Amino acid sequence: MPIRGEDNDTSVMKVDVGIILDMETDVAKVMHTCILLAIEDYHDAASRNATRIVPHLRDSKQDDVEAASATIYLLKDVQVQAIFGPQMSTQTDFVIDLGNRAKVPIISPATSPLLSVKENPYFIRGALPSTSQTKAIAAIVKNYNWREVVVIYEDSPDGTGIVPHLTDALQEINTLVSYRSVISPSADEDQILKELNNLNTKQTRVFVVHLQPFLASRLFLKAKEAGMMSSGYVWIITDVLTSFLDLLDPSVIESSMQGVIGIKPYVPRSNELNNFTKRWRKRFRQEYPDMDQVELNIFGLWAYDSITSLAEAVVKVGNTAIPKFKKAVTRKNLTDLDALGTSELGYLLIDSMQNITLKTGLSGDFRIANGELQPSPYQIVNMIGTGQRSIGFWTEKDGISYKLKMNGKTAKTNNNQLGTIIWPGQSTIIPKGWDISTSGKKLSVGVPVNGGLEQFTKVERGSNTEIATGLSIDFFQEVIKLLPYAVPYQFIAFVIQDKPSSPDYDHLIFEKYDAVVGDVTNLASQSKYENFTLPFTESGISAVVPVKYNDRTWIFLKPLKSELWITTGAFFVFIGFVVWVLEHRVNKEFRGPKRKQVGMIFWFSFSTLVFAHRERVASNLTRFVLIVWFFVVLVLTSSYTASLSSMLTVQQLQPSNDLIQIGDYVGYREGSFVKYVLKRLNFDSSKLRSYSTLEEYNDALSRGSKNGGVAVIYDELSNLRLFLNKYCRKYMMVGQTFKTTGFGFALPKGSPLVPDISSVVMKMMKQGEITKNKIQKYSEDETDCPQNNGTTDSLTVDSFKGLFLIAGVSAGSALLIFFLIFLYHHREILATDDSIGQKLSAIAKAFDEEKHKSNSVNEESQAATVLFAASEVSPVILPDVPSQSLEIRISDGLGASPADEGSSTTEPATPDHETNA
């Protein structure tokens, strides 16, 4: 084929390039036109003496043998230095081996992940492998929390190659590929419809389609016929279809693909691309004038960029090597394969192309690293009308985003969500991704008839129906109401058999029911056949025992610890002593015989306990001490009263730690796994008794172990809460709590309801009031039970350290002030030459004297001095003072006067100049 810019100058070096395409396909014709334009653009930009690229096209006719034959011809007879193609992975697999043998680069747009670049040194993938989109698909699935997916793929190497990688990508986000549907390219409409009907009987409603355009169009037409393009269904198509939607009949898209989500490599718009598209359309009409116009696609752009990269590699190599082949060693009976030589230019070209980046690639960021085209952003589109609408993008670095920057990177904004999607059935509501069935069958919920306490599960059989009630049933109904979608259900009663004699019990149950509701505990042994939601009750096993009152003979002593009793008594005596010291000299109530004074010390201090003291105090220091002490007494008596009241009302529990040793009988709920837990805890099997109702619990505990009952009952916390709400004044929970997982709803293994129900349960449990109200609903005659452990701690000294410190400091300070004043007034005693014993005796004698007797003379002397000074100043005003002593009333400084004390003094003055303290 003549190429514009090519000449016949034999002095110009030429590089022959082979092109192997399936020319019967539209994709091949698009790529062929792009290749021709790429070579022309290279020649137009190159200088006149630059190396020329000469293309040699061969048609593989969609046949592997034809592709191999064309490759041998190009390598043996034409001696091409590089080959672009083939398209199909099965053809490329053999061509790569020939390229490795001849050391000729093979640049193929084949997308199968089975073709390894690492194992084939002369292979360069000129397109993104189909596996590069699996993480983008998984990101879409994760964005909408779909838990199960069905993969529909073509029965061919290109189709099967993606499945393991897609499965791994979905497993990373905890999504299960519940079913794989393989469709043969040669399948007729009836076979396709039969497979779709089979898919429609399953619960999963999310389908990932990886089919070639022709087969995909037939699939979607039949899906529309089967009613699978309606509300609630999700269809995601891979780039093998999304990139070639223009090859489909527009009527197929408009009638049968509305609401489908597709992903495809993102091609940024640019002026260069717009100009190239115009040139390409014109050239395509010239090359294929009898064909209907098709659109330029990503594979055509990759073909253009691949040839451009090859041209740049040719320019880099330049004249360093002559483009020729080394001949093979000749042998007899030589075959075409044996006759293949090796290229002297190929290893230079492959070395240059394995890591190359185009600055202005038409397909976007066209970058080859280690022989592999590097991923670019994927665009997510929604099928609307006859076309597609962009709803977002995905990159491996930033995940899903609504917008992209101009450089192809995700915008650093809060746009990690897709745009508005019109789902199948013209719905804008996000599909839940699964359905119970297409026949309107309700979710069958098994309810055990004999599964436990009737407060949790109770089945009443009517004439034509079965009515289920109980806490578990109510909670399940609340959960279903709060799900973001409607789930029709019906309760079906069944009888629990003896599990030890039926090892496949769980397996048999879930062959009949879609869920089981009751007081069902999440056990590891059951996880083989079923999944549990998050528990909606408390977890654990504990015990209840009857309550009894402690011996109350000496209970009045228990509010205070012994050290606090001693400390309080010591302070009473200390305060009494301080008050006596301060009042002894000025208050007749605190004088008299020694026995009376000692009694007064104890009487006065302890009488303050009930504020019953009758003695009036005269000293201000005493008043200060008593004010502080009264506050201490008030706090002590109030605390004692509160603690004693608590001890008199709190029920003390019977200990249960020695039940195994003393041989008492132990109760448990009939049919519960608690029996096996007790056996593992070394309880004697002969001492275990089972009961079925709360009333039987009460009767057994009331009679006691010696009267045909039990001493303790072990059960799950949820059951015990119900029991205690009904009989809280008679029993209480004691002992260690053995952890379990609590009551949950059981569903078959892999059920998509598990995560959604668990999410709702978690929200309800955070509120708390729902469970509390329901427990109260099924607890007859419940009362407000005090939540305590049956004991009240006695008060200690540490609780009153501050009070005692304040009282001690105030009393000690008053005592110190008093003695300092007293010693100051009697300092002449300390100034004498008497011995220490004599001084102490004199001070004690002075202290024991009543203050008004020892102070009268001094008061007269002071009065005389005052009058004498006044007469010298004003003899006219003051008359002569008689020689006899005057009766003078002087306040003693401690709040009392001689008049108040009922005495007066007329004794002569003494040297004592004491003032009142």
Side-chain angles (χ1 to χ4, degrees):
M1 295 182 181
I3 303 298
R4 179 158 49 88
E6 182 180 354
D7 55 32
N8 296 322
D9 187 358
T10 57
S11 62
V12 177
M13 187 176 70
K14 298 178 182 180
V15 174
D16 296 297
V17 175
I19 301 172
I20 303 175
L21 298 172
D22 296 325
M23 296 307 297
E24 297 177 6
T25 65
D26 293 342
V27 177
K29 294 171 183 177
V30 171
M31 288 194 292
H32 175 235
T33 305
C34 291
I35 291 172
L36 297 180
L37 291 176
I39 295 175
E40 286 185 1
D41 291 345
Y42 163 70
H43 288 161
D44 290 342
S47 60
R48 186 138 188 97
N49 59 350
T51 303
R52 298 296 174 179
I53 296 178
V54 181
H56 301 269
L57 176 64
R58 288 295 179 271
D59 185 4
S60 62
K61 300 178 182 180
Q62 299 186 12
D63 184 78
D64 296 352
V65 177
E66 287 288 343
S69 177
T71 304
I72 293 174
Y73 168 77
L74 292 172
L75 293 176
K76 175 177 174 292
D77 297 331
V78 181
Q79 295 188 347
V80 295
Q81 303 298 322
I83 294 177
F84 181 88
Q87 300 165 237
M88 297 179 63
S89 300
T90 54
Q91 300 174 12
T92 305
D93 194 12
F94 186 65
V95 172
I96 290 175
D97 292 335
L98 295 176
N100 292 335
R101 185 166 185 168
K103 297 184 180 180
V104 171
I106 306 298
I107 309 167
S108 173
T111 60
S112 173
L114 301 177
L115 301 175
S116 174
V117 173
K118 294 181 180 180
E119 296 177 1
N120 299 285
Y122 282 87
F123 172 47
I124 293 178
R125 195 193 302 275
L128 289 178
S130 59
T131 56
S132 63
Q133 62 189 315
T134 56
K135 291 185 178 180
I137 296 172
I140 297 173
V141 173
K142 181 181 180 181
N143 191 67
Y144 296 107
N145 296 318
W146 295 319
R147 300 298 181 183
E148 292 188 8
V149 167
V150 171
V151 180
I152 305 174
Y153 58 97
E154 183 178 316
D155 189 10
S156 66
D158 288 326
T160 58
I162 192 177
V163 176
H165 300 273
L166 180 59
T167 302
D168 292 342
L170 291 172
Q171 284 181 346
E172 290 180 1
I173 61 169
N174 297 322
T175 297
L176 175 68
V177 177
S178 60
Y179 187 76
R180 301 178 183 182
S181 177
V182 186
I183 298 180
S184 172
S186 60
D188 57 27
E189 278 68 15
D190 291 339
Q191 291 174 325
I192 295 175
L193 183 60
K194 180 180 179 181
E195 180 62 21
L196 289 172
N197 288 332
N198 177 44
L199 297 179
N200 210 17
T201 61
K202 303 181 183 303
Q203 292 184 346
T204 308
R205 292 293 178 263
V206 181
F207 305 101
V208 177
V209 179
H210 184 65
L211 299 175
Q212 295 292 335
F214 176 71
L215 185 56
S217 63
R218 297 164 58 202
L219 174 79
F220 280 105
L221 286 171
K222 291 302 176 183
K224 178 70 174 180
E225 181 180 334
M228 300 175 67
M229 295 304 300
S230 57
S231 178
Y233 289 84
V234 179
W235 295 88
I236 303 174
I237 58 177
T238 61
D239 63 349
V240 72
L241 177 56
T242 312
S243 299
F244 302 116
L245 287 176
D246 60 292
L247 302 180
L248 299 181
D249 188 339
S251 63
V252 174
I253 300 176
E254 189 172 11
S255 65
S256 306
M257 296 184 64
Q258 296 299 291
V260 173
I261 299 176
I263 63 172
K264 62 180 182 179
Y266 172 63
V267 179
R269 308 307 299 179
S270 62
N271 293 331
E272 291 80 3
L273 179 58
N274 293 335
N275 295 332
F276 177 80
T277 302
K278 295 176 182 179
R279 291 174 51 213
W280 177 87
R281 288 174 179 170
K282 181 179 179 180
R283 184 60 179 269
F284 188 85
R285 285 193 296 268
Q286 293 175 1
E287 297 292 336
Y288 307 101
D290 298 334
M291 271 192 64
D292 294 334
Q293 183 66 40
V294 297
E295 295 297 327
L296 179 62
N297 55 51
I298 186 64
F299 280 85
L301 298 178
W302 280 336
Y304 180 92
D305 290 340
S306 296
I307 297 301
T308 302
S309 299
L310 175 62
E312 288 192 3
V314 169
V315 172
K316 289 182 181 179
V317 172
N319 296 324
T320 57
I322 301 174
K324 66 177 183 179
F325 271 58
K326 288 183 179 180
K327 293 183 179 181
V329 179
T330 59
R331 297 197 301 261
K332 294 182 179 180
N333 300 323
L334 204 62
T335 64
D336 286 338
L337 292 178
D338 293 330
L340 292 180
T342 57
S343 172
E344 296 183 351
L345 186 64
Y347 78 96
L348 296 175
L349 291 177
I350 195 68
D351 182 66
S352 179
M353 286 195 66
Q354 279 184 334
N355 295 280
I356 192 170
T357 301
L358 294 184
K359 296 180 180 179
T360 56
L362 289 180
S363 61
D365 185 14
F366 190 86
R367 181 168 58 92
I368 295 177
N370 298 320
E372 193 87 59
L373 181 62
Q374 297 305 296
S376 59
Y378 273 95
Q379 186 177 15
I380 306 172
V381 297
N382 188 204
M383 304 300 129
I384 303 295
T386 59
Q388 50 187 274
R389 177 174 60 91
S390 177
I391 56 174
F393 300 87
W394 177 88
T395 61
E396 189 169 3
K397 179 180 179 182
D398 300 314
I400 285 179
S401 62
Y402 182 64
K403 294 181 180 180
L404 285 179
K405 288 183 179 180
M406 295 302 294
N407 59 3
K409 297 181 179 179
T410 56
K412 300 299 182 181
T413 58
N414 186 21
N415 67 116
N416 57 348
Q417 294 293 329
L418 296 176
T420 302
I421 298 177
I422 305 299
W423 302 97
Q426 301 296 315
S427 173
T428 57
I429 301 175
I430 299 174
K432 64 178 180 289
W434 66 275
D435 199 359
I436 300 303
S437 69
T438 59
S439 60
K441 179 183 175 182
K442 296 181 179 180
L443 185 76
S444 60
V445 181
V447 180
V449 175
N450 55 340
L453 299 177
E454 64 179 17
Q455 283 81 0
F456 272 93
T457 307
K458 182 179 180 181
V459 178
E460 298 177 356
R461 298 182 183 273
S463 57
N464 297 321
T465 183
E466 295 171 338
I467 302 175
T469 59
L471 192 148
S472 297
I473 302 300
D474 286 358
F475 202 90
F476 177 78
Q477 292 173 333
E478 291 285 344
V479 169
I480 296 299
K481 289 179 183 179
L482 294 177
L483 287 175
Y485 44 81
V487 178
Y489 62 91
Q490 62 179 352
F491 294 116
I492 303 175
F494 69 93
V495 178
I496 293 183
Q497 302 173 3
D498 186 16
K499 286 194 177 184
S501 63
S502 179
D504 294 331
Y505 167 79
D506 297 300
H507 175 64
L508 296 174
I509 286 294
F510 288 103
E511 282 185 350
K512 299 179 180 180
Y513 306 107
D514 299 314
V516 173
V517 174
D519 48 352
V520 182
T521 303
N522 306 0
L523 298 179
S525 60
Q526 296 171 314
S527 61
K528 180 179 179 181
Y529 304 108
E530 59 201 82
N531 281 344
F532 288 96
T533 65
L534 288 178
F536 60 88
T537 63
E538 293 181 272
S539 61
I541 300 173
S542 192
V544 291
V545 296
V547 298
K548 68 177 184 179
Y549 292 102
N550 281 335
D551 183 8
R552 300 187 177 187
T553 304
W554 302 101
I555 195 172
F556 68 90
L557 294 176
K558 290 189 176 181
L560 306 183
K561 292 286 188 180
S562 56
E563 60 269 21
L564 182 56
W565 279 115
I566 296 173
T567 303
T568 303
F571 260 84
F572 271 111
V573 175
F574 174 66
I575 295 298
F577 172 75
V578 171
V579 171
W580 176 80
V581 170
L582 297 177
E583 295 292 319
H584 177 65
R585 301 181 63 244
V586 296
N587 195 332
K588 291 183 177 180
E589 299 283 352
F590 292 85
R591 300 188 62 81
K594 293 182 179 179
R595 288 183 300 174
K596 176 185 176 182
Q597 295 183 50
V598 172
M600 178 60 66
I601 291 175
F602 287 94
W603 155 252
F604 185 85
S605 60
F606 283 99
S607 65
T608 59
L609 184 64
V610 291
F611 306 101
H613 55 285
R614 296 172 300 172
E615 295 77 14
R616 299 178 61 185
V617 295
S619 173
N620 285 331
L621 290 176
T622 305
R623 295 187 181 105
F624 167 70
V625 171
L626 289 180
I627 287 173
V628 177
W629 178 244
F630 286 159
F631 175 73
V632 174
V633 170
L634 177 63
V635 175
L636 280 172
T637 54
S638 299
S639 301
Y640 174 86
T641 302
S643 181
L644 181 61
S645 299
S646 176
M647 288 185 174
L648 290 174
T649 56
V650 169
Q651 296 164 328
Q652 304 300 307
L653 296 182
Q654 174 180 334
S656 61
N657 296 331
D658 299 329
L659 290 178
I660 301 177
Q661 286 76 6
I662 64 178
D664 283 340
Y665 284 92
V666 176
Y668 66 94
R669 180 169 56 84
E670 184 177 0
S672 171
F673 72 97
V674 174
K675 174 182 179 181
Y676 305 101
V677 175
L678 295 177
K679 287 182 178 180
R680 288 199 301 268
L681 294 174
N682 297 324
F683 279 82
D684 186 356
S685 299
S686 62
K687 297 295 182 180
L688 301 180
R689 291 174 175 174
S690 62
Y691 303 96
S692 301
T693 65
L694 299 183
E695 290 73 18
E696 292 180 1
Y697 281 11
N698 175 49
D699 179 67
L701 288 172
S702 298
R703 286 187 285 118
S705 180
K706 297 180 180 179
N707 298 313
V710 294
V712 61
I713 286 182
Y714 280 89
D715 203 348
E716 295 178 80
L717 288 176
S718 303
N719 296 332
L720 296 182
R721 294 296 183 199
L722 287 173
F723 180 66
L724 293 178
N725 269 273
K726 189 172 184 179
Y727 301 103
C728 66
R729 297 300 179 186
K730 299 177 62 178
Y731 309 100
M732 210 160 196
M733 198 179 303
V734 295
Q736 179 183 0
T737 298
F738 304 96
K739 289 298 182 181
T740 63
T741 53
F743 292 168
F745 305 122
L747 295 101
K749 195 76 173 178
S751 173
L753 274 174
V754 173
D756 293 333
I757 290 182
S758 295
S759 177
V760 174
V761 169
M762 183 167 23
K763 293 179 182 178
M764 294 178 66
M765 295 304 294
K766 285 182 179 179
Q767 298 174 359
E769 290 300 320
I770 296 179
T771 304
K772 179 180 178 181
N773 294 338
K774 291 191 179 299
I775 289 178
Q776 291 178 351
K777 175 182 176 182
Y778 291 98
S779 300
E780 302 174 0
D781 303 324
E782 87 270 5
T783 56
D784 293 331
C785 300
Q787 297 298 320
N788 54 56
N789 60 359
T791 60
T792 300
D793 292 335
S794 300
L795 300 175
T796 64
V797 175
D798 292 338
S799 303
F800 302 96
K801 277 184 178 180
L803 285 175
F804 287 131
L805 179 63
I806 293 173
V809 170
S810 60
S813 300
L815 197 62
L816 178 62
I817 293 173
F818 172 81
F819 277 115
L820 290 176
I821 294 175
F822 176 79
L823 292 176
Y824 176 77
H825 289 162
H826 297 82
R827 57 187 178 277
E828 68 280 0
I829 298 177
L830 300 177
T832 62
D833 296 333
D834 296 341
S835 64
I836 294 177
Q838 292 174 334
K839 291 180 181 179
L840 292 176
S841 176
I843 290 175
K845 182 177 181 182
F847 172 76
D848 190 53
E849 293 177 354
E850 190 172 1
K851 185 175 181 180
H852 70 273
K853 292 182 179 180
S854 61
N855 196 39
S856 58
V857 177
N858 183 42
E859 291 173 348
E860 286 187 8
S861 176
Q862 291 177 350
T865 303
V866 171
L867 293 175
F868 177 76
S871 63
E872 288 183 344
V873 174
S874 181
V876 178
I877 297 176
L878 296 176
D880 294 338
V881 178
S883 60
Q884 66 270 19
S885 61
L886 298 176
E887 181 178 313
I888 302 175
R889 298 175 181 269
I890 301 176
S891 174
D892 62 0
L894 290 175
S897 66
D900 293 335
E901 298 175 6
S903 63
S904 60
T905 60
T906 56
E907 297 177 14
T910 66
D912 187 4
H913 298 287
E914 176 186 353
T915 59
N916 296 331

